[in-house]
């Protein structure tokens, strides 16, 4: 079974990799990282909204075209032994598919 094909990657839902907390290789549950909801009361967000408000123009110009075709996908790994969660560096992909472990 091919795991990688032209901008598409299949990742098993359980992988055996190093856990920094257990300091040994253990099985990890694989999930796709998704950014959380922005906090409206955070200082940076309040500043941004205050600057956007009014009759003036937008704070930053809207981009006419995007420079990149893909986004970086970040994997979230959760150790099955201790429950420690950490992120695996993002790689550029058009589509990431989490599949059952291939035996």
């Amino acid at each position: 079974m091919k795991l990688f094909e032209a901008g598409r990657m299949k990742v098993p839902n359980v992988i055996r990799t190093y856990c920094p907390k257990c300091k040994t290789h253990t099985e990890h549950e694989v999930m796709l990282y998704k950014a959380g909801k922005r906090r409206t009361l955070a200082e940076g967000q309040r500043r941004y909204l205050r600057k956007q408000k009014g009759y003036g123009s937008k704070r930053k110009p809207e981009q006419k075209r995007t420079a990149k075709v893909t986004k970086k996908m970040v994997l979230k790994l959760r150790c099955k032994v201790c429950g420690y969660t950490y992120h695996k560096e993002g790689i550029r992909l058009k589509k990431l598919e989490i599949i059952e472990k291939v035996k």
Side-chain angles (χ1 to χ4, degrees):
M1 180 180 195
K2 272 200 316 191
L3 290 177
F4 187 79
E5 57 195 58
R8 222 169 244 204
M9 189 169 172
K10 292 179 180 174
V11 180
N13 63 348
V14 174
I15 58 172
R16 191 175 159 76
T17 188
Y18 182 77
C19 174
K21 197 170 181 188
C22 299
K23 292 188 169 76
T24 180
H25 279 69
T26 55
E27 288 207 327
H28 286 71
E29 204 179 308
V30 180
M31 295 157 279
L32 189 63
Y33 167 78
K34 184 177 176 272
K37 210 167 151 188
R38 298 293 301 262
R39 293 181 310 150
T40 328
L41 293 177
E43 180 55 43
Q45 185 67 16
R46 292 201 311 264
R47 189 180 296 127
Y48 175 79
L49 291 171
R50 190 166 55 244
K51 206 151 187 183
Q52 288 283 66
K53 202 160 83 167
Y55 291 105
S57 62
K58 287 252 184 210
R59 181 168 178 245
K60 288 185 175 168
E62 285 184 17
Q63 281 186 309
K64 297 288 185 279
R65 59 174 181 252
T66 53
K68 303 272 188 289
V69 182
T70 55
K71 293 254 186 252
K72 279 191 175 182
M73 304 278 193
V74 177
L75 291 178
K76 199 161 93 172
L77 303 173
R78 195 174 139 269
C79 178
K80 284 192 166 187
V81 178
C82 65
Y84 182 75
T85 307
Y86 65 100
H87 296 146
K88 190 113 175 151
E89 193 182 323
I91 46 176
R92 287 198 177 277
L93 292 169
K94 284 193 176 179
K95 187 158 180 161
L96 182 93
E97 200 178 322
I98 296 173
I99 56 170
E100 284 296 315
K101 196 168 182 178
V102 184
K103 299 219 172 161

